[in-house]
Amino acid sequence: MRVLLINPPDVDASLFDWDTAKRGRANNYPAYGLGVLARHLLNHGYECDILNLNHELLKVVYQSNSPIDYDLTWKAILAKEIVSFRPDFIGVTCLFSVTGKSLVNVCHFLRTITACPIAIGGVHVTHDVDEIMKDTGADYAFLNESEQAFIDFLNTGKLTQVVTKEGKFLEKNMPCDLDIIPPFEMMDVENHSLFGTLGSWYGFRYKDTRIGTALSNRGCRAHCSFCNVRSFNGVGVRQRTIESVLDELQLLKDRGVGHIIWLDDDLLMREERAVALFDGMVKKNLQMTWDATNGVIAASLREEVVAAAAASGCIGLALGIESGSEKILREIKKPGTPRIFRRAASVLADYPQINVRALLIVGFPGETFAQIMETINLCEEMNLDWHNIAILQPWKDTPIYDQMVDQGLLGEEEGKLKGDVSPYQLGPYSRQRAVEQGKIQQSHFGEKHDGGLPDFSEPTRVPSRQELDDIWF
């Protein structure tokens, strides 16, 4: 059997911006998860190929002198792949909700050019599977981590962790072998950073440094009520052997990659393991730099850990703070306190080569103006390099989502988590860019208060959604 694995364009045509992509600033991550799945398929004797439509599309943009027809371009690339590879089965992934429309478009187009069965999967699919199955018309939707479930289905027809048009088969079948290295030779992994942007720290490297991604463990020890990692990956953290991770890094270096973005949600789980991994990178003389874009847990940022990280090439960390209010932190079950955050900032201050980015959220249920000010005050005191602020947009199948539904705090659009809602974050397809480009109208900015500033004169009051937009903006 020939299996084609597809990563859709990051966004649909309505959100795509030619100028951003032409400057090389559109996101262009390797399809790491599909790479892991492809290695499993190859190990079981299947022929497979990976088509990263986002990467191929950005290559066309790079080579073009004038704006392209977005939809015609990716459709032509996909149609050519179908003709040349002749798949018997097709899998399409979707990680983020902003890619949701693109997933639907790819699935619909596939129906017009091939009779192959279509399976979908990924975080976005798992957390709203019924709606997305209807929207895409897919034959199968594999849920959570489903490498083993997918292989078992292809081998024997066994149905686990899958939704079909006939019903749901939800028996869990998580993979046990994590020491799998993607087939980088079929992923063009070393060239992604030539045509787009990976992570937040690309500007800290030499211009010609190739950037790749790696994963050393799955899951997270934390129980944060707003996060979907535990609902997708399961409880706890499962870790690869250090030897396997170092072998993967060596392969990437041999392909010309000079900087790594860790995809881990809890990179520093088991601090002694983290130190051993970083020490192994030094002993192997990899001479690569790295960053942890997804964030690390502040409690693990002890002197010996940060020293080992710096010695192994760390140039950037994202630190999950979310709030400066002890009450809010307890309510969202965040594994941190202002005291722990201050201690981490004190350690990091001794390593100026590590640029530190704080991840912040406002708009938690019941959060007051005064509690938002506690977040601002804490960040000013910690004096980190960079602060990203977002308004809470809860994922389905998370405790805080259920809480907000029960309290009537979610509007229709927020509850649907549709792909046309740009996220409150930075980046080429963020709400900020959409506002700047006139794709989202935020006409209320500045209407209520002089200069567009939110009113903090009632500290115990909970801001309205409109006021949260002002605060975020």
Side-chain angles (χ1 to χ4, degrees), residues 60-248:
V60 174
V61 170
Y62 179 83
Q63 297 161 359
S64 301
N65 294 320
S66 58
I68 60 172
D69 187 307
Y70 187 81
D71 287 330
L72 283 181
T73 301
W74 69 255
K75 287 179 180 180
I77 295 168
L78 180 52
K80 181 179 179 181
E81 174 72 9
I82 294 296
V83 171
S84 62
F85 185 65
R86 296 177 290 109
D88 302 301
F89 199 95
I90 296 173
V92 190
T93 190
C94 184
L95 181 59
F96 296 119
S97 295
V98 73
T99 308
K101 273 191 173 182
S102 190
L103 168 72
V104 171
N105 292 340
V106 167
C107 289
H108 287 179
F109 180 65
L110 283 169
R111 287 294 187 211
T112 69
I113 60 174
T114 178
C116 286
I118 299 172
I120 56 175
V123 176
H124 173 68
V125 172
T126 296
H127 292 305
D128 198 10
V129 65
D130 293 332
E131 189 76 18
I132 295 169
M133 278 285 281
K134 292 178 190 174
D135 290 346
T136 60
D139 301 291
Y140 307 95
F142 286 86
L143 310 179
N144 303 98
E145 294 179 24
S146 52
E147 297 103 318
Q148 192 60 52
F150 189 58
I151 296 296
D152 287 348
F153 169 74
L154 293 179
N155 284 344
T156 67
K158 181 181 178 182
L159 296 171
T160 56
Q161 288 179 221
V162 63
V163 175
T164 74
K165 292 179 178 178
E166 288 71 41
K168 296 182 178 180
F169 305 87
L170 303 181
E171 175 189 347
K172 288 293 175 80
N173 192 2
M174 291 288 193
C176 57
D177 180 15
L178 297 184
D179 289 334
I180 293 292
I181 298 177
F184 296 127
E185 65 277 4
M186 67 168 57
M187 296 171 63
D188 196 31
V189 65
E190 64 272 21
N191 290 320
H192 280 62
S193 56
L194 297 181
F195 307 113
T197 294
L198 282 76
S200 304
W201 284 277
Y202 53 85
F204 288 74
R205 303 311 309 135
Y206 295 111
K207 181 178 179 182
D208 295 330
T209 300
R210 308 291 179 98
I211 302 174
T213 58
L215 183 72
S216 78
N217 62 45
R218 297 190 190 183
C220 182
R221 79 189 96 159
H223 300 72
C224 303
S225 64
F226 59 89
C227 182
N228 61 3
V229 171
R230 285 170 69 89
S231 57
F232 185 81
N233 294 106
V235 175
V237 180
R238 289 164 295 126
Q239 300 184 308
R240 294 173 59 184
T241 63
I242 291 174
E243 293 74 17
S244 172
V245 179
L246 292 175
D247 287 345
E248 181 170 315

Side-chain angles (χ1 to χ4, degrees), residues 54 68 151 168 195 240 322 380-381 426 456 465:
N54 191 68
I68 60 172
I151 296 296
K168 296 182 178 180
F195 307 113
R240 294 173 59 184
E322 324 315 343
E380 289 186 335
E381 182 182 346
L426 301 182
F456 278 79
R465 186 72 188 195

Side-chain angles (χ1 to χ4, degrees), residues 190-438:
E190 64 272 21
N191 290 320
H192 280 62
S193 56
L194 297 181
F195 307 113
T197 294
L198 282 76
S200 304
W201 284 277
Y202 53 85
F204 288 74
R205 303 311 309 135
Y206 295 111
K207 181 178 179 182
D208 295 330
T209 300
R210 308 291 179 98
I211 302 174
T213 58
L215 183 72
S216 78
N217 62 45
R218 297 190 190 183
C220 182
R221 79 189 96 159
H223 300 72
C224 303
S225 64
F226 59 89
C227 182
N228 61 3
V229 171
R230 285 170 69 89
S231 57
F232 185 81
N233 294 106
V235 175
V237 180
R238 289 164 295 126
Q239 300 184 308
R240 294 173 59 184
T241 63
I242 291 174
E243 293 74 17
S244 172
V245 179
L246 292 175
D247 287 345
E248 181 170 315
L249 297 181
Q250 184 66 61
L251 286 173
L252 288 167
K253 180 182 179 180
D254 292 344
R255 298 193 70 85
V257 172
H259 179 84
I260 290 296
I261 298 173
W262 292 107
L263 300 174
D264 300 48
D265 293 297
D266 193 358
L267 175 65
L268 305 182
M269 173 63 182
R270 287 183 52 222
E271 292 162 27
E272 68 278 9
R273 175 187 181 272
V275 171
L277 173 61
F278 302 150
D279 288 348
M281 294 172 68
V282 174
K283 291 175 183 175
K284 215 171 174 61
N285 196 32
L286 291 173
Q287 297 184 339
M288 304 169 86
T289 54
W290 61 266
D291 70 74
T293 297
N294 280 352
V296 296
I297 291 179
S300 291
L301 289 171
R302 302 181 184 276
E303 173 65 33
E304 60 274 20
V305 176
V306 179
S312 66
C314 177
I315 63 168
L317 292 175
L319 179 57
I321 294 176
E322 324 315 343
S323 174
S325 163
E326 291 204 41
K327 183 174 185 294
I328 292 293
L329 291 169
R330 286 195 302 270
E331 289 176 350
I332 65 177
K333 295 182 169 58
K334 182 74 185 176
T337 65
R339 179 185 63 82
I340 291 174
F341 297 144
R342 292 187 189 99
R343 186 190 71 191
S346 177
V347 174
L348 290 163
D350 292 332
Y351 297 89
Q353 69 269 45
I354 301 178
N355 184 278
V356 187
R357 164 190 182 185
L359 303 178
L360 310 172
I361 298 176
V362 296
F364 289 112
E367 185 179 37
T368 64
F369 281 104
Q371 289 167 329
I372 292 173
M373 282 304 303
E374 287 184 84
T375 300
I376 294 170
N377 292 336
L378 174 66
C379 289
E380 289 186 335
E381 182 182 346
M382 291 174 67
N383 194 31
L384 302 176
D385 300 293
W386 188 6
H387 300 78
N388 271 92
I389 188 165
I391 293 180
L392 177 67
Q393 288 179 300
W395 285 89
K396 284 190 174 182
D397 200 25
T398 59
I400 206 166
Y401 180 91
D402 296 336
Q403 174 191 350
M404 294 177 75
V405 169
D406 291 343
Q407 296 177 7
L409 298 177
L410 288 180
E412 183 178 356
E413 282 304 311
E414 296 150 314
K416 286 182 179 179
L417 284 176
K418 289 292 188 182
D420 55 355
V421 179
S422 297
Y424 289 91
Q425 60 188 30
L426 301 182
Y429 304 124
S430 68
R431 198 173 190 87
Q432 173 67 29
R433 293 288 170 83
V435 170
E436 293 170 352
Q437 295 163 4

